[in-house]
């Protein structure tokens, strides 16, 4: 048996007016990943080797996102938005090259599963010219309705064009379709714009196929899979679903989430074994947490790698480029960025560690700040292994603290400190015997004068 070829066309030219945002709709994120990336991921998983993405004018950012996810994706511009069928025809050149199956996926339907795309392809392989994904939403408003006569799919009617009877049908169009490659162009070219909006509706492919005596079939899926995102409320609903799934997946993989409903994950969050995540933690993109680590309440992590048995938080912020070695500890109100904190090193309280490396076993005292930015450039701080940085020290980068060195608290360190050296860099302490008593006396004298003169 020869393997059937497939072209996927992702429609992403919509402005997304209902999102009320300057960002193109498909670039809005669910679980830290753009809607477009979700869809492209499903298409790739359905083993569709060629991908075309239809973008709107001036949507360079959408093209860039498509290429980031699928480097060989071909992008087509739909110059004016005249409807979903018109958008598909923007990729006419790709369709004309010929593929057995043409999958058409809307860029605003992020939960579509590869298995469903495979089912659509199977329906086409079995002889249908058009196969559409259908579902029965709790609230069908806004969706196109499937018109079924004598058990056969004969049309899809957009809500605005539907008769009362058609509208009463709970079976809706999920916005994903497969066309038989051999008939695709003749079906698409027949589609007109006789509807309320005067647009070329892809959904009319069903009626066109019927008119050509070809078969159209529907494949039913759960609502969650084809939830279309047109508004910020729908984006928030989608996020809630995505979070629920990611939490379930983490729990199934053995992660202890004490209060799962308060933990926010990204689609790419990676956990090892025996990890405890306390309530109220946010995982941004690209976080890896290794075996036995603990992430305590109210911490925010993004682009961070947490080593085995390390401890984060409560109230810690790990920004991109953070790497915590095995058993390292980052405590409350500590921010780390572009920095490695090697095995067993500790920064337990109130610190900023940016553009730095902290050697194994080093201790960073409360209030230590790496002054990495001089107002125009960033500089690095290197702290050797087992160094001790006294509380409230400012390390003015570029600067190096040698292994085993000891920095007295309150120091402002501007020059390198050799290994095992002791450095103190703060104003000398002045002590005047009974000075406090004198001060109080002077103050009360001054107050009496003021009272008598006023
Ligand atoms: C569409 C379907 C509807 C279905 C619903 C499922 C049509 C006519 N209607 O409605 O039956 O129930 O999806 O979510 O297909 N786009 C373009 N160029 C255009 C118009 C749209 O690229 O000229 C893209 C959009 O970016 C979007 C997708 O096509 O990704 C769907 O367009 P949208 O306007 O969201 O269609 P719906 O009204 O939701
Ligand atoms: Ca939509």
């Amino acid at each position: 048996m020869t393997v059937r070829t497939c072209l996927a066309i992702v429609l992403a030219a919509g402005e997304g007016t209902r999102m009320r945002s300057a960002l193109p709709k498909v670039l809005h994120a669910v679980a830290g990943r753009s809607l477009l990336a979700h869809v492209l991921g499903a298409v790739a998983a359905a083993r569709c080797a060629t991908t075309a993405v239809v973008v709107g004018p001036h949507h360079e950012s959408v093209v860039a996102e498509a290429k980031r996810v699928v480097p060989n994706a071909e992008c087509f511009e739909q110059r004016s938005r005249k409807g979903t069928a018109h958008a598909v025809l923007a990729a006419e050149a790709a369709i004309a090259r010929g593929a057995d199956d043409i999958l058409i996926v809307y860029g605003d339907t992020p939960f579509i599963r590869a298995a469903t795309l495979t089912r659509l392809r199977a329906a086409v392989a079995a002889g249908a010219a058009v196969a559409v994904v259908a579902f029965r939403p709790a609230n069908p408003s806004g969706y196109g309705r499937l018109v079924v006569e004598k058990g056969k799919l004969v049309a899809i009617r957009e809500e605005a064009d539907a008769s009362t009877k058609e509208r009463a049908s709970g079976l809706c169009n999920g916005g994903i379709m497969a066309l038989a490659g051999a008939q695709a162009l003749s079906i698409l070219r027949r589609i007109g714009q006789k509807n309320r909006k005067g647009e070329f509706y892809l959904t009319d492919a069903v009626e066109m196929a019927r008119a050509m005596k070809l078969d159209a079939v529907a494949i039913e899926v759960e609502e969650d899979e084809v939830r279309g995102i047109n508004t910020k409320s729908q984006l928030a609903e989608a996020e809630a679903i995505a979070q629920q799934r990611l939490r379930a997946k983490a729990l199934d993989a053995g992660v202890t989430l004490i209060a799962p409903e308060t933990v926010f994950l990204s689609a790419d969050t990676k956990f090892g074994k025996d990890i405890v995540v306390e309530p109220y933690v946010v995982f941004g993109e690209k976080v890896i947490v290794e075996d036995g680590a603990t992430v305590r309440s109210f911490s925010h992590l993004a682009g961070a790698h947490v080593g085995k048995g390390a401890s984060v938080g409560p109230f810690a912020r790990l920004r991109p480029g953070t790497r915590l070695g095995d058993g390292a500890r980052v405590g409350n109100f500590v921010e780390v960025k572009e920095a490695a904190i090697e095995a067993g090193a500790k920064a337990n309280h109130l610190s900023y560690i940016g553009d730095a490396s902290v050697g194994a076993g080093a201790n960073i005292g409360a209030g230590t700040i790496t002054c990495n930015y001089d107002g125009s450039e960033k500089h690095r701080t290197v702290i050797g292994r087992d160094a001790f940085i006294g509380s409230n020290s400012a390390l003015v980068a570029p600067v190096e603290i040698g292994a085993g060195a000891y920095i007295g608290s309150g120091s402002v360190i501007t020059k390198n400190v050799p290994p095992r050296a002791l450095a103190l860099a703060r104003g000398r302490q002045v002590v005047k015997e009974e000075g406090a008593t004198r001060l109080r006396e002077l103050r009360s004298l001054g107050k009496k004068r003021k009272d008598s003169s006023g």
Side-chain angles (χ1 to χ4, degrees), residues 380-382 396-402 405 407 413-419 421 423:
R380 289 193 68 78
T381 300
V382 177
V396 183
V399 73
E400 239 181 280
I401 312 294
I407 308 296
I413 300 293
T414 53
K415 295 196 198 80
N416 291 350
V417 177

Side-chain angles (χ1 to χ4, degrees), residues 11 13-14 25 78 83-84 87 106-108 143-144 158 173 201 230:
L11 302 191
K25 174 159 77 173
Q78 184 193 17
T84 40
Y106 293 174
D108 66 350
Y143 290 112
E158 289 310 293
N173 175 24
Y201 284 164
N230 302 310

Side-chain angles (χ1 to χ4, degrees), residues 147-155 210 215-216:
V147 183
V148 179
E149 280 170 15
K150 295 186 197 126
K152 287 209 173 238
L153 175 63
V154 294
R210 282 284 165 210
D215 245 358

Side-chain angles (χ1 to χ4, degrees), residues 232-404:
K232 288 282 168 70
S233 307
Q234 288 168 337
L235 185 69
E237 281 167 28
E239 183 69 40
I241 292 168
Q243 290 301 332
Q244 236 166 31
R245 290 184 186 174
L246 290 170
R247 289 166 192 146
K249 201 173 113 189
L251 291 165
D252 287 348
V255 179
T256 301
L257 303 178
I258 295 171
E261 69 283 8
T262 65
V263 174
F264 290 82
L265 301 158
S266 284
D268 63 357
T269 309
K270 287 197 178 66
F271 290 114
K273 292 205 163 57
D274 296 310
I275 286 159
V276 176
V277 179
E278 290 187 355
Y280 301 101
V281 174
V282 176
F283 292 91
E285 273 179 283
K286 298 199 175 82
V287 175
I288 299 172
V289 185
E290 293 200 56
D291 299 356
T294 303
V295 183
R296 306 182 64 189
S297 293
F298 305 106
S299 293
H300 189 287
L301 299 81
H305 187 134
V306 177
K308 292 197 177 72
S311 166
V312 177
F315 297 100
R317 177 166 186 216
L318 304 187
R319 292 170 54 199
T322 295
R323 192 169 57 74
L324 305 188
D326 296 351
R329 303 178 70 85
V330 169
N332 37 239
F333 309 109
V334 174
E335 174 180 347
V336 185
K337 184 216 78 168
E338 285 295 344
I341 299 190
E342 302 292 352
K346 291 183 282 215
N348 276 333
H349 336 265
L350 301 155
S351 274
Y352 173 60
I353 313 289
D355 300 307
S357 68
V358 176
N363 185 83
I364 309 292
T368 297
I369 305 292
T370 54
C371 308
N372 61 327
Y373 187 49
D374 59 14
S376 60
E377 275 173 74
K378 301 269 171 70
H379 304 282
R380 289 193 68 78
T381 300
V382 177
I383 299 171
R385 61 184 306 139
D386 297 320
F388 179 94
I389 314 295
S391 294
N392 203 33
S393 291
L395 309 176
V396 183
V399 73
E400 239 181 280
I401 312 294

Side-chain angles (χ1 to χ4, degrees), residues 9 18 33 39 49 64 85 135 144 161 165 189 218 240 247 300 306 314-315 325 343 384 399 416:
I9 302 173
R18 289 169 278 178
R33 183 178 282 176
V39 170
F135 69 117
D161 303 302
K165 190 173 157 240
R189 286 184 184 135
R247 289 166 192 146
H300 189 287
V306 177
F315 297 100
V399 73
N416 291 350

